[in-house]
Amino acid sequence: MNPESKALRSTWAFADVPTAEHELHAGLMLFVRARWLIGAMVALAALAAVHLLGIPLVENGAIHYWIAAAIAGYNLLFWRLLDSGYSLRFQALGQITLDLMALTAVLHYSGGMDNPFAFVFVFHVISASILLSARESFAVTALACFLFGSLVFLESARILPHQPPDKSLFLGLSGVVETPLFAAAIFISFCIVMFCSLFLTSSVMRRLGRRKAQIHHLRSYTQALVDQLGEEVCAITPDYRIQFANSPVRRRMGPGAEACYTVLQGEKKPCAGCGLEAVLRTRKPVSFQQARRDGCVWEVSFGPLLTPDGAWTVIERRRDITEEVELRKKLALTENLAALGEMSARLAHEIGNPINGLQHALELTRKRLPHVPEPVSILLDLMEESTRRMDNIMRRLLLMARRDEIHPQPMDISKVVENAVLFVQYLLEQRGIVVERTQDSEVPRFLADPDALCQILVNLLLNGMDAMDGPGVIRVSTRRVTVDRSQWLELGVEDTGTGIPTSSLQRVFEPFFTTKPAGKGTGLGL
């Protein structure tokens, strides 16, 4: 992943806590940059001391230039190695070791152990405590003490000549420090400073590490919560840029796509009536529903948020409520149908008595006028058929309104199928329709209401019969099936008719909905 895409991604979610490798890489890069400056300062200090201040640092003043050149050389090497894939910890130890050796050489040729700048070693100890492990930091501190102690011992024992040889530049002593006790005091003071710095820095870093882990855990936990909200959440700056986004929004974001109107709406310019502008103007939340071009309905809300730096950001929450809107419509329809059913039941009860009276009147007319002209007989037939259909509709309405109790009992499904077929056998034979029955021999007796099952089968058989214009086949099958480790009975009715159009499948249980011709179906069977 290139740095640009990585930086872009970090603006879409909670900023990740930098890993140890990233911090080490950043620290080593800082070392490399600072080393260029330090090398140049060593060379300039040598020039100033010799040529401007007239201080004879060493007999051969070029040694400082050689040290500066060495620092520049290995600095260039480590700069090239930073992104080469070699172990960063190995590079860190190498850089610090060479720095300590270079610093020891500079001290030796700039006053030796009585140079107060010897405590510059502490910067590398602190840096090691920040970037490396405790064991590695201890090793660096021990190396610094060893190098400085070696310098003190060798100069005190006159194994290494004191530079400059004539006198001390800083303490005003003549030549090298003659007292071993003074040299030991300098070394012990140096070690105390180094190890105290190591202890204090390591303690602070451990506490910072624990806090960093807590922050990282809290951010990860918060990010996971926001990602699992089931809605799109993002923070938008006043210039329409997405500053933070949870996973549903990030999945829709492509490289370079940060504008909210592009990511969320697919537009090339700010949306008309944007809630962002209203929130920034009034500092009050704004909510509304939005119908998109794909037919989905979204609930969108905007809320103001004042960031710690004093800038205003807008939090946008988007939730797809298409299913909720459809459910509300269905719920309203169900309530209307319930009210209609209750009203229909009352009407059916009130209209049923007059219909029964008409039927009885027609029967009496037939009995008292056995010989009537053919036109009158046709009218009587039409009246009887109409009253019969009206009575049938009223009975079905009453059946829908009445909550019949189910009375389960041990039963044999084959008996129920046989009875249902017998009820409609005469009508099926008139149409030339054959009923084929397939029964699983392993289907046992089970608890159910035989009358309710028989009524369902009769309705399905009649519907299958009406779906065929001529002769055909209706297949009734029963078999045992296993669903989620539970045993079930599957009762299937299949016909060779025209089938149900796809557009009507969702309405087959809707009262008064039927695809049959006028006068043939009521839409109340299923």
Side-chain angles (χ1 to χ4, degrees):
M1 180 180 293
N2 58 59
E4 292 183 0
S5 62
K6 185 175 180 181
L8 187 62
R9 185 186 66 174
S10 67
T11 64
W12 295 352
F14 286 116
D16 295 329
V17 177
T19 63
E21 288 294 317
H22 289 150
E23 289 186 345
L24 185 56
H25 185 280
L28 294 180
M29 180 60 71
L30 180 62
F31 273 8
V32 168
R33 292 172 180 172
R35 204 172 286 115
W36 293 117
L37 179 62
I38 292 173
M41 289 176 62
V42 170
L44 290 175
L47 284 173
V50 174
H51 298 288
L52 296 180
L53 302 178
I55 300 176
L57 295 177
V58 290
E59 295 179 351
N60 182 10
I63 189 65
H64 290 83
Y65 306 134
W66 285 109
I67 294 175
I71 293 174
Y74 72 74
N75 194 48
L76 179 63
L77 173 63
F78 283 116
W79 179 62
R80 297 296 299 272
L81 286 176
L82 266 181
D83 297 317
S84 63
Y86 288 99
S87 171
L88 291 178
R89 291 189 174 276
F90 180 78
Q91 294 184 50
L93 289 172
Q95 288 193 39
I96 293 175
T97 300
L98 290 177
D99 281 346
L100 292 177
M101 294 173 65
L103 181 57
T104 304
V106 171
L107 286 177
H108 172 62
Y109 292 107
S110 304
M113 61 179 177
D114 60 320
N115 190 333
F117 289 99
F119 291 96
V120 173
F121 279 98
V122 76
F123 292 114
H124 287 81
V125 172
I126 293 174
S127 300
S129 302
I130 294 174
L131 299 177
L132 302 177
S133 65
R135 183 177 300 178
E136 292 166 341
S137 302
F138 182 84
V140 168
T141 306
L143 176 62
C145 293
F146 171 76
L147 291 174
F148 185 76
S150 299
L151 179 63
V152 170
F153 172 76
L154 293 175
E155 287 192 2
S156 299
R158 298 186 179 182
I159 298 175
L160 285 178
H162 189 274
Q163 300 293 341
D166 54 345
K167 63 178 181 178
S168 172
L169 294 175
F170 302 97
L171 299 180
L173 303 176
S174 59
V176 68
V177 176
E178 298 288 348
T179 308
L181 184 60
F182 185 76
I186 291 178
F187 173 68
I188 293 174
S189 300
F190 180 87
C191 292
I192 291 175
V193 171
M194 294 300 110
F195 279 99
C196 285
S197 300
L198 172 65
F199 174 76
L200 291 175
T201 308
S202 299
S203 300
V204 172
M205 291 307 300
R206 282 195 299 270
R207 295 186 63 182
L208 288 177
R210 289 193 294 267
R211 292 294 177 87
K212 186 186 299 182
Q214 292 174 356
I215 293 173
H216 179 69
H217 175 73
L218 180 60
R219 286 182 172 180
S220 300
Y221 181 73
T222 307
Q223 181 72 57
L225 286 179
V226 177
D227 287 343
Q228 298 299 324
L229 284 177
E231 56 187 44
E232 297 180 352
V233 180
C234 57
I236 306 174
T237 59
D239 58 350
Y240 304 98
R241 297 293 168 182
I242 296 180
Q243 189 178 46
F244 160 82
N246 65 346
S247 58
V249 178
R250 293 198 303 275
R251 284 194 292 266
R252 298 167 59 180
M253 300 179 75
E258 292 184 69
C260 60
Y261 49 81
T262 302
V263 175
L264 302 176
Q265 300 292 343
E267 302 289 345
K268 296 182 179 180
K269 60 181 181 179
C271 309
C274 178
L276 173 71
E277 300 174 356
V279 169
L280 291 176
R281 185 175 60 254
T282 63
R283 301 288 192 267
K284 295 181 180 179
V286 174
S287 298
F288 55 86
Q289 290 187 5
Q290 183 182 65
R292 297 180 55 173
R293 298 175 182 175
D294 56 2
C296 296
V297 181
W298 288 75
E299 183 182 63
V300 186
S301 61
F302 295 85
L305 176 66
L306 184 62
T307 60
D309 57 0
W312 282 98
T313 301
V314 175
I315 302 298
E316 180 175 355
R317 295 171 53 244
R318 304 172 58 83
R319 188 165 61 95
D320 189 349
I321 59 171
T322 306
E323 292 185 2
E324 292 184 15
V325 172
E326 293 298 325
L327 287 175
R328 289 171 187 168
K329 292 180 179 178
K330 291 180 179 179
L331 179 60
L333 177 60
T334 302
E335 292 176 349
N336 292 337
L337 289 175
L340 178 61
E342 184 177 354
M343 181 181 66
S344 300
R346 294 180 180 179
L347 288 175
H349 181 72
E350 296 296 330
I351 297 176
N353 293 330
I355 290 177
N356 290 333
L358 286 174
Q359 288 178 329
H360 290 310
L362 290 172
E363 290 177 3
L364 290 174
T365 302
R366 288 282 193 186
K367 291 178 180 180
R368 294 181 180 181
L369 300 174
H371 303 289
V372 295
E374 184 176 354
V376 177
S377 178
I378 293 175
L379 291 176
L380 290 175
D381 291 339
L382 289 175
M383 293 172 66
E384 287 180 349
E385 176 64 20
S386 297
T387 54
R388 187 192 64 79
R389 291 190 66 252
M390 291 172 62
D391 183 64
N392 187 30
I393 292 175
M394 294 300 106
R395 289 178 182 275
R396 288 181 180 272
L397 286 174
L398 288 172
L399 182 63
M400 287 182 59
R402 187 177 67 249
R403 296 183 179 180
D404 291 338
E405 294 184 1
I406 300 298
H407 301 284
Q409 56 184 289
M411 54 164 288
D412 185 355
I413 188 62
S414 61
K415 296 293 184 181
V416 175
V417 173
E418 182 178 354
N419 292 336
V421 173
L422 286 176
F423 281 137
V424 294
Q425 185 70 42
Y426 177 73
L427 296 175
L428 296 176
E429 290 178 353
Q430 283 187 326
R431 297 282 192 91
I433 296 173
V434 178
V435 177
E436 297 180 356
R437 282 178 280 180
T438 304
Q439 181 176 346
D440 189 345
S441 59
E442 297 183 357
V443 175
R445 295 172 64 84
F446 62 98
L447 287 176
D449 189 327
D451 294 335
L453 278 178
C454 184
Q455 183 182 0
I456 292 173
L457 274 175
V458 169
N459 280 329
L460 292 175
L461 291 171
L462 292 175
N463 283 344
M465 179 186 70
D466 292 337
M468 292 180 279
D469 294 333
V473 178
I474 297 179
R475 300 180 181 89
V476 181
S477 61
T478 56
R479 67 186 182 113
R480 188 203 307 221
V481 295
T482 302
V483 180
D484 296 333
R485 299 182 181 180
S486 299
Q487 297 294 320
W488 294 78
L489 171 65
E490 181 183 87
L491 175 61
V493 179
E494 180 184 3
D495 60 71
T496 57
T498 57
I500 303 175
T502 305
S503 58
S504 302
L505 281 176
Q506 296 182 351
R507 304 185 62 188
V508 293
F509 295 106
E510 183 178 318
F512 303 108
F513 173 76
T514 180
T515 57
K516 297 177 182 179
K520 193 173 183 181
T522 61
L524 298 176
L526 292 182

